[in-house]
Amino acid sequence: MSKDVSPNNFGRSSAEGASSRQFFVVSISGSVEAAEFPEHDELYCRYFVEFGSDWQIISGVAEGMSQISKKSKCHIDDRQLCVWNLPVELTLKSTNITGWPKIVVSVYGNDSFGNDVVRGYAWSFVPLESTATTLSMPAFVPASSSKLQEMTAWFTGRRPEFLNPAIVVHGESREREQILFIFCPPMF
C-alpha cells in the first residue's frame, strides 16, 4: 500500500480514501522552571496537560511531578525562587483545534504541622508560537468559606483543595468556590 503525500491526503494512505480525517501534530517541549512563593519554602510541583476529547497522545507523558526545592537567590534580582527545572515533553495529534492543550501546575508544600497542603494552582494555554516562550502564570488557592471552616482546616491540616485539579481550567461549578490569588512569576 503506497502513501499519498499530496496536501489533501497528508497523514493517510491512498487506500483509506476521502472518508479518513486529516490531522495535525502539536509538540510541547519545555520545562516548569521555577516559582516565587514568598511565604513558603520546600515546595514541589505537579503538572498535567489537559486537552480535548479529539486529541491523542503520540508520545511523551501528560503529567509529571518534581522534586522538593528549597528557595535559592535568583542571580538576576533579589527574588527567592524554588527552582524545579521539571521537563515537559509531549506530542499530540488532533483533527481540529477544539480542546487546545492547556498546562495545569499545582504547587504543594508542608504546613507548620508537616501536612502536605496545596500552595497554589496555575494554568495556561500551550502557546501557539513555535519559538521559545516564557509563560508567567498567576497562582491561586481555594479558600475556606467561613472563619469556622478556616480554623478547623488549620487545626486538622485539611486545607481546601480541588480533588481534581482539572477544575482549574474548566469553569463549571468553579463560580461557587472562594479563591485567593497569589502572584508568582514565571513558572513555565
Side-chain angles (χ1 to χ4, degrees):
M1 181 181 330
S2 66
K3 286 281 190 182
D4 183 358
V5 293
S6 66
N8 293 334
N9 288 322
F10 178 75
R12 61 182 178 206
S13 67
S14 56
E16 291 173 323
S19 64
S20 285
R21 299 172 73 183
Q22 296 178 1
F23 64 88
F24 62 94
V25 175
V26 173
S27 180
I28 303 166
S29 180
S31 62
V32 179
E33 296 288 334
E36 180 182 11
F37 283 83
E39 304 89 32
H40 307 295
D41 196 7
E42 297 185 358
L43 302 174
Y44 70 94
C45 76
R46 294 177 143 178
Y47 80 86
F48 75 92
V49 178
E50 174 80 6
F51 46 86
S53 60
D54 194 39
W55 293 73
Q56 295 177 351
I57 297 176
I58 296 174
S59 69
V61 292
E63 57 187 85
M65 187 166 89
S66 75
Q67 77 283 356
I68 295 175
S69 174
K70 291 187 71 65
K71 287 182 185 177
S72 62
K73 190 166 180 131
C74 180
H75 67 282
I76 298 171
D77 54 29
D78 291 332
R79 292 181 298 156
Q80 298 285 314
L81 300 176
C82 285
V83 179
W84 299 298
N85 295 322
L86 176 62
V88 178
E89 297 287 335
L90 182 64
T91 304
L92 302 163
K93 74 175 184 176
S94 181
T95 57
N96 64 57
I97 63 169
T98 303
W100 186 262
K102 300 169 256 327
I103 185 162
V104 178
V105 178
S106 307
V107 178
Y108 298 89
N110 289 334
D111 63 7
S112 56
F113 298 113
N115 298 312
D116 198 32
V117 295
V118 68
R119 297 298 185 190
Y121 295 105
W123 75 275
S124 177
F125 283 102
V126 170
L128 293 171
E129 299 90 21
S130 60
T131 59
T133 304
T134 300
L135 299 176
S136 180
M137 300 185 287
F140 60 91
V141 293
S144 297
S145 58
S146 71
K147 288 292 182 189
L148 178 62
Q149 284 182 343
E150 186 177 333
M151 198 166 50
T152 303
W154 190 82
F155 281 117
T156 62
R158 298 290 304 158
R159 306 252 168 77
E161 70 178 277
F162 298 124
L163 295 176
N164 181 4
I167 196 170
V168 172
V169 296
H170 301 294
E172 301 92 38
S173 74
R174 199 173 69 193
E175 66 275 356
R176 293 189 302 256
E177 305 294 330
Q178 288 189 353
I179 304 291
L180 296 176
F181 285 91
I182 306 166
F183 179 72
C184 62
M187 291 184 82
F188 183 71

